Amino acid sequence: FNSLNHDMTLAEFKFIWYMEYSHRMWGRVVGLAYILPATYFWQKGWLSRPMKGCVLALCGLVCFQGLLGWYMVKSGLEEKPDSYDIPRVSQYRLAAHLGSALVLYSASLWTGLSLLLPRHKLPETHQLLRLRRYAHGTTALIFLTALSGAFVAGLDAGLVYNSFPKMGERWIPDDLLAFSPMLRNIFENPTTVQFDHRILGIASITAVTALYLFSRKIPLPRRTRMAVTSLLAVACMQ
């Protein structure tokens, strides 16, 4: 307020305060939704030995996620006496916070589905192994694309160019490698960060489409086919 947002009203401050407060409270509710039932099931002896390890890992991830969130927010509150830029959190910590949340959500979903749905006894054919490897690679690509989105958000890189498929009047912008050393551009140059996110997004939807087309050539259970079709639909919507 003293250095930048002189015209902010109390109502405007309350809005961003409640946004942050609600996010923290929701995160704590999620943590309790994990830890309290896990403690109850553990005491009742309802968890097998492998499941105990899984539950401990998930609860640990929940706690780590909260700690990472605090560490991220802290970076946005640090005094920068030589800077009059908009206060923002570190894009590195934002990406770590998002990445940790994605890992936690994916692990929770995988664990829940493994308990609810029995594993299909499919013959390990060459095509099925290829499909599985390709699915894992596509997962990694989507994860990387999401992390690059955190860098876009952290640097407000979405404001730099608002045209597609070109960036301004060019396919490759002039300031793509403006920072030195060159490696800094990938993580700190808003133009490069937006360019990388575009390329990764296009690569992700291409990979998902190819995964879908390849899956059509293999006899798969209905549940698996529904999952691949849903993945394509969500990728197109995204």
Side-chain angles (χ1 to χ4, degrees):
F1 181 84
N2 289 332
S3 62
L4 189 68
N5 297 314
H6 306 291
D7 57 344
M8 178 178 280
T9 64
L10 184 60
E12 289 171 333
F13 174 77
K14 284 182 177 181
F15 174 76
I16 62 171
W17 190 91
Y18 278 118
M19 288 282 285
E20 174 69 18
Y21 180 76
S22 300
H23 183 67
R24 291 186 183 204
M25 291 301 106
W26 184 251
R28 288 167 185 171
V29 168
V30 171
L32 290 175
Y34 263 84
I35 294 168
L36 293 181
T39 305
Y40 178 75
F41 296 152
W42 193 299
Q43 288 181 339
K44 286 287 186 179
W46 294 348
L47 302 178
S48 64
R49 188 169 182 179
M51 186 51 60
K52 284 182 178 180
C54 189
V55 165
L56 282 176
L58 288 172
C59 288
L61 263 175
V62 168
C63 296
F64 176 71
Q65 177 69 3
L67 184 66
L68 204 53
W70 166 81
Y71 185 61
M72 177 193 71
V73 171
K74 184 174 180 290
S75 67
L77 302 175
E78 292 170 353
E79 293 286 346
K80 302 178 181 70
D82 299 327
S83 174
Y84 294 95
D85 194 9
I86 297 171
R88 57 165 59 91
V89 299
S90 163
Q91 69 270 27
Y92 297 100
R93 300 185 193 184
L94 178 61
H97 190 50
L98 175 65
S100 174
L102 289 174
V103 170
L104 173 61
Y105 180 75
S106 301
S108 303
L109 184 63
W110 185 272
T111 303
L113 291 178
S114 299
L115 292 170
L116 292 171
L117 304 174
R119 190 183 181 93
H120 281 297
K121 304 293 183 183
L122 297 176
E124 294 289 331
T125 62
H126 178 65
Q127 279 188 316
L128 188 64
L129 291 173
R130 279 185 62 195
L131 179 67
R132 187 177 292 135
R133 283 197 297 267
Y134 194 71
H136 290 162
T138 303
T139 302
L141 181 60
I142 292 170
F143 181 74
L144 187 61
T145 304
L147 287 191
S148 74
F151 280 90
V152 172
L155 291 170
D156 283 338
L159 304 177
V160 181
Y161 290 98
N162 299 122
S163 55
F164 186 86
K166 289 184 177 181
M167 298 179 74
E169 299 299 320
R170 301 175 65 89
W171 289 101
I172 300 177
D174 292 330
D175 53 343
L176 190 68
L177 299 174
F179 289 16
S180 182
M182 190 178 295
L183 191 63
R184 273 187 63 207
N185 290 281
I186 298 174
F187 305 106
E188 298 179 14
N189 183 342
T191 298
T192 313
V193 166
Q194 189 192 128
F195 181 81
D196 291 344
H197 187 58
R198 289 177 179 220
I199 298 300
L200 285 168
I202 293 167
S204 290
I205 196 166
T206 303
V208 170
T209 304
L211 178 69
Y212 171 79
L213 294 174
F214 182 53
S215 72
R216 302 296 294 178
K217 301 177 182 179
I218 306 173
L220 294 171
R222 180 175 175 273
R223 197 172 75 204
T224 308
R225 199 167 295 287
M226 188 186 301
V228 178
T229 305
S230 300
L231 177 64
L232 179 63
V234 172
C236 291
M237 183 173 66
Q238 177 71 359

